[in-house]
Amino acid sequence: MIAVGALLHAKQLSRSPFEIATALIIPVVQATLAVYLFRAGGEPGRLLEAAVGAGLMGVWSSVLFGSGGAIQNQRWQGTLEMIMLAPRPPALVVLPITLATAITGTYAMVATLAWGRLLYGIPLTFADPVAFAVAVPGCIVGLGMFGLLLASTFVLMRNANALTNTLEYPIWLVSGMLVPITVLPGWTGPVAAVLPTTWGARAVREAATGSGPVWPSLGICLAISLACLVLGALMMTHVERRARAAATLALA
Amino acid sequence: MSEYAIEAAGLRRTYRSRTGWLRPQRREVEAVRGVDLTVGNGELFGLLGPNGAGKTTTIKLLNTLLIPTAGTARICGFDVVRQTREVRRRIGYVFGGDRGLYDRLSARDNLRYFAELYGVPGREQKRRIAELLELVRLAGRENERVEGYSRGMRQRLHIARGLLHRPRVLFLDEPSIGVDPVAARELRQTVADLAATGTTVLLTTHYMAEADELCGRIAVIAGGRIQALGTPAELRHHADGRRVLEVEAYGVTDERLAAIHALPRVREASLEVIGAAQVLAVQSDAGVDVQADVLRELDGVRLGRVTARQPTLEDAYVAIVNRVDERRSPEAVPA
Ligand SMILES: Nc1ncnc2c1ncn2[C@@H]1O[C@H](COP(=O)(O)OP(=O)(O)OP(=O)(O)O)[C@@H](O)[C@H]1O
Ligand SMILES: [Mg+2]
């Protein structure tokens, strides 16, 4: 049921003209950004790393906006009531949607790499192609679960959209998608350590550049994501009840 | 299995909303103020009432989308608040309008998704979906995206979706909105067939003829309370001893309608727009003829056919609803 749900939601998402436009433009911007940042830093050797990081930023944006908007979108479409009527735990109903946003985000990763190759000639030689091929989907599934926690938190907040916007860049930075964590101020360390994005990004980067063992990072990413999933599921059940009491399932 | 499909006791629902951001103001709307209702298995039950009467709210209280402020409700013996999942397994919900579907997916994908969600076993899905597409006459167009569908097609898809998991109790909230007459007749046939095979149906509609034809019993709800309940024949008694004058007119204003209503021997007056014309229905006691008075009030308005007839269910409905308005208006005018 989760698979069918995620697939169909991905289909619905990927057919939105807005999404298509964003998906075409953003990766180009991100690839360019990555390339110039690192050229300026005088480290042309790390271009691939930069491109991978930029791709991850794309995945994160997709999950963040997708999950943040998931509930709101369903409400606008009038489908929120219909899916909540399903005789299933609410978390199971929402998870496919957040997974779908992560899946469409994968495309951002692929596109960023493709543009990087095409426009700037970044060599796509991965240190460990197999690990990379596993780490990326692993990271995406992890982010999808993290998205569920976000989605459930967002239902409780009226101004979810504002929060979404403010969360985009800090997470890019803190998780080390853009620049290595080591150059960030010390206090961000603990924050980074509990974010699944950090570990996911690290795993993907390690697989791409061979800078470390991939599996521990990926494992930690999935473990944290799983915790998010459990927390998100509990939260969703609570939130659903609150929504039924407060009559916020419908647009009205 | 429980004796009743739907039981509601003392059902109430208050909406609280906050408006304004700098100076928040609380607003409370008592949408449902104590509804008691029992609907037997396989019964086709109608809920009629003016806009804002609380019909949709009542349905959402019964189908678990809203938690009642007070009172209890059971579906097939399961409590709607405590046994939500058991209730949801047994109910279908169809509402009028063109929202509530995934526009960029095909009808088939929409149904596939909801079949999965509503727990239709994988083996059965294909057959069930084909069967329903046939039933709502969308077969042949099931692979087109819903965004290209007409309003009536969407409405029919809604209905198919509501039936996917063969619900024991079906809630239909204005299912015939935007459906053409032929499709509406087929819809009525479908609903009647469902009821005949044991499905309990709770239907709201603004079409009296639809309610009259379909429903075994009808509740008229206004101001959040049930004002009258009975078979269509029983409800018609509310207009007993009345006689109805019907005038086809073009351009009757609210002031003129009020003036007619205020005429000494007129009991009710209502106005309905049919195509380009208005139809003015004036009720009086059976023994009196108000035609001359009414026509005098309509002086200067272009008129069509003028007929006198026996009261219908609609006239009874108007009598019931207006009685409520009259009772409520004194409190609505503060000193
Ligand atoms: N989400 C909401 N928040 C606040 N008030 C609401 C909400 N939904 C409905 N109401 C109010 O509750 C009352 C009853 O509304 P309801 O939708 O149940 O009426 P209805 O009988 O279905 O009307 P209609 O025939 O127009 O569909 C109305 O006064 C409406 O304004
Ligand atoms: Mg309604």
Side-chain angles (χ1 to χ4, degrees):
Chain A
M1 175 226 151
I2 292 179
V4 173
L7 205 76
L8 289 174
H9 275 291
K11 208 163 161 185
Q12 157 92 0
L13 278 175
S14 63
R15 283 175 177 174
S16 143
F18 174 74
E19 296 284 337
I20 292 170
T22 335
L24 283 179
I25 298 164
I26 299 284
V28 184
V29 177
Q30 280 174 344
T32 311
L33 203 74
V35 166
Y36 280 96
L37 268 176
F38 279 82
R39 280 219 179 119
E43 291 177 272
R46 292 178 54 197
L47 274 179
L48 176 63
E49 193 181 333
V52 169
L56 278 174
M57 282 162 42
V59 180
W60 169 243
S61 301
S62 172
V63 169
L64 181 60
F65 284 101
S67 306
I71 302 284
Q72 195 61 14
N73 252 326
Q74 303 292 318
R75 195 178 282 149
W76 279 329
Q77 288 170 5
T79 44
L80 187 60
E81 293 191 316
M82 298 322 298
I83 60 179
M84 283 305 171
L85 268 185
R88 310 216 174 235
L92 273 186
V93 174
V94 177
L95 185 62
I97 305 178
T98 64
L99 283 179
T101 64
I103 293 170
T104 43
T106 321
Y107 163 80
M109 169 67 116
V110 174
T112 306
L113 288 178
W115 281 116
R117 174 95 191 79
L118 225 67
L119 293 180
Y120 303 104
I122 299 173
L124 297 184
T125 43
F126 301 109
D128 189 344
V130 179
F132 186 77
V134 177
V136 171
C139 178
I140 283 163
V141 170
L143 288 186
M145 297 186 198
F146 185 44
L148 178 73
L149 182 61
L150 287 177
S152 58
T153 340
F154 287 173
V155 194
L156 287 180
M157 282 180 271
R158 273 173 192 279
N159 301 322
N161 293 351
L163 187 73
T164 318
N165 289 327
T166 53
L167 270 181
E168 187 174 18
Y169 293 90
I171 300 257
W172 281 355
L173 271 176
V174 172
S175 326
M177 292 183 189
L178 206 54
V179 290
I181 299 181
T182 43
V183 307
L184 294 173
W187 62 265
T188 59
V191 181
V194 296
L195 286 174
T197 46
T198 312
W199 298 98
R202 188 161 146 186
V204 171
R205 199 157 1 104
E206 282 166 347
T209 62
S211 59
V214 178
W215 309 118
S217 315
L218 188 63
I220 295 175
C221 166
L222 287 179
I224 298 179
S225 301
L226 225 55
C228 289
L229 182 69
V230 172
L231 210 65
L234 291 177
M235 191 91 155
M236 242 4 253
T237 307
H238 168 72
V239 162
E240 187 241 13
R241 226 187 141 81
R242 287 254 312 239
R244 284 162 62 206
T248 52
L249 288 174
L251 193 57
Chain B
M1 204 166 70
S2 164
E3 192 179 343
Y4 295 109
I6 303 173
E7 302 160 84
L11 219 47
R12 284 174 173 275
R13 172 74 208 202
T14 309
Y15 291 109
R16 290 185 180 79
S17 54
R18 239 182 297 169
T19 50
W21 187 63
L22 284 175
R23 284 179 53 203
Q25 288 187 334
R26 286 179 169 282
R27 216 167 51 89
E28 288 201 359
V29 180
E30 270 195 281
V32 172
R33 318 168 180 223
V35 163
D36 299 289
L37 198 66
T38 47
V39 179
N41 284 303
E43 199 176 345
L44 216 164
F45 192 91
L47 209 50
L48 299 184
N51 293 131
K55 301 181 297 294
T56 301
T57 307
T58 305
I59 284 196
K60 286 187 182 176
L61 288 171
L62 295 174
N63 74 9
T64 76
L65 282 177
L66 288 174
I67 292 179
T69 314
T72 55
R74 294 159 167 283
I75 302 293
C76 301
F78 295 102
D79 187 274
V80 294
V81 178
R82 280 177 289 113
Q83 293 161 300
T84 310
R85 194 153 331 152
E86 293 301 322
V87 170
R88 288 181 181 175
R89 264 195 247 286
R90 290 167 176 78
I91 58 168
Y93 175 42
V94 176
F95 58 89
D98 37 22
R99 291 164 71 253
L101 295 163
Y102 292 97
D103 277 1
R104 291 188 289 273
L105 297 182
S106 66
R108 182 189 293 286
D109 280 348
N110 265 287
L111 290 180
R112 212 154 67 88
Y113 175 60
F114 282 102
E116 200 65 52
L117 217 51
Y118 292 171
V120 179
R123 292 166 272 109
E124 255 184 58
Q125 282 181 17
K126 235 187 151 91
R127 198 160 36 90
R128 183 74 183 141
I129 290 173
E131 205 173 284
L132 286 169
L133 284 168
E134 199 64 51
L135 182 76
V136 298
R137 289 193 308 131
L138 285 175
R141 306 200 54 177
E142 68 269 31
N143 294 323
E144 290 171 36
R145 289 191 198 178
V146 171
E147 60 192 353
Y149 277 18
S150 73
R151 203 152 172 204
M153 290 169 71
R154 283 163 187 255
Q155 189 58 56
R156 273 148 40 205
L157 183 55
H158 261 301
I159 291 158
R161 188 247 313 268
L163 296 176
L164 274 170
H165 52 305
R166 302 177 198 276
R168 303 233 1 97
V169 180
L170 189 60
F171 295 98
L172 301 173
D173 195 355
E174 301 185 36
S176 43
I177 277 193
V179 174
D180 70 63
V182 175
R185 185 191 294 169
E186 283 174 2
L187 171 62
R188 289 199 294 273
Q189 191 56 52
T190 306
V191 173
D193 289 347
L194 282 169
T197 53
T199 306
T200 307
V201 180
L202 184 68
L203 168 88
T204 82
T205 178
H206 288 293
Y207 304 116
M208 293 301 141
E210 189 170 276
D212 201 357
E213 178 187 329
L214 282 177
C215 300
R217 283 193 307 152
I218 293 174
V220 177
I221 183 168
R225 290 199 187 89
I226 292 182
Q227 307 294 346
L229 197 158
T231 62
E234 283 163 4
L235 287 186
R236 239 175 257 128
H237 287 311
H238 285 263
D240 266 358
R242 301 272 180 101
R243 167 192 144 95
V244 182
L245 177 73
E246 232 173 42
V247 185
E248 208 178 278
Y250 302 84
V252 179
T253 58
D254 285 349
E255 290 77 54
R256 283 195 198 256
L257 182 65
I260 290 168
H261 202 174
L263 285 172
R265 288 174 306 168
V266 166
R267 304 288 292 258
E268 312 287 347
S270 64
L271 199 59
E272 192 186 359
V273 178
I274 296 175
Q278 296 169 309
V279 173
L280 175 71
V282 181
Q283 291 183 27
S284 63
D285 287 330
V288 292
D289 189 353
V290 294
Q291 182 162 345
D293 294 345
V294 169
L295 292 184
R296 200 173 317 115
E297 287 295 336
L298 289 174
D299 192 31
V301 176
R302 189 153 77 87
L303 299 181
R305 220 153 30 100
V306 177
T307 44
R309 59 167 173 78
Q310 290 300 308
T312 61
L313 180 63
E314 181 160 345
D315 300 311
Y317 167 83
V318 169
I320 294 165
V321 169
N322 281 353
R323 196 180 60 205
V324 179
D325 282 351
E326 273 156 31
R327 242 190 285 133
R328 290 204 322 165
S329 47
E331 31 180 315
V333 186

